[in-house]
Amino acid sequence: FTKKKPYQVKKTCYAQHSQIKMIRKKMVDIMTREVSSNDMKEVVNKLIPDSIGKDIEKACQGIYPLHDVYIRKVKVLKKPKFDIGKLMDMHGESTSKTTTTETGEKVDRPDNFEPPVQESV
């Protein structure tokens, strides 16, 4: 939101369209820099206390005074590389051996095994 000047009488204050475009460009630059330079866990840790919003607010003060800058939506554009070890570390279920197989493992079943038919779905 735009910030009122201390001596302003009017209740509202609006930035010009060119200022809005410059603010938006700077916001996108800051967000992409923060996200691309950090891990997913570090990005989430920065989003929770809203430190990225404070950085945006400080950077845009020269264009137009802002206040209450928050990031309300985050969209994942590219799927991150999946590592089962890191996932287990994040959830606190870290084990010394974590092995993943790309081919899978064969499950032993008795001969002519058919799954039971359900009567209702």
Side-chain angles (χ1 to χ4, degrees), residues 52-87:
I52 298 176
K54 300 265 188 250
D55 292 343
I56 292 170
E57 189 174 333
K58 287 177 190 172
C60 294
Q61 287 299 322
I63 300 170
Y64 200 89
L66 301 174
H67 70 98
D68 296 338
V69 178
Y70 300 111
I71 297 174
R72 64 178 173 182
K73 186 176 184 180
V74 178
K75 185 176 182 180
V76 179
L77 298 177
K78 191 171 155 185
K79 186 173 133 181
K81 293 179 183 175
F82 181 71
D83 185 15
I84 192 74
K86 281 188 180 180
L87 179 69

Side-chain angles (χ1 to χ4, degrees), residues 69-114:
V69 178
Y70 300 111
I71 297 174
R72 64 178 173 182
K73 186 176 184 180
V74 178
K75 185 176 182 180
V76 179
L77 298 177
K78 191 171 155 185
K79 186 173 133 181
K81 293 179 183 175
F82 181 71
D83 185 15
I84 192 74
K86 281 188 180 180
L87 179 69
M88 292 300 168
D89 288 341
M90 288 173 106
H91 291 289
E93 299 176 10
S94 177
T95 58
S96 60
K97 61 172 193 169
T98 55
T99 58
T100 57
T101 57
E102 295 294 323
T103 58
E105 297 176 4
K106 186 174 180 179
V107 177
D108 293 328
R109 291 187 175 170
D111 292 333
N112 299 328
F113 176 77
E114 288 289 327

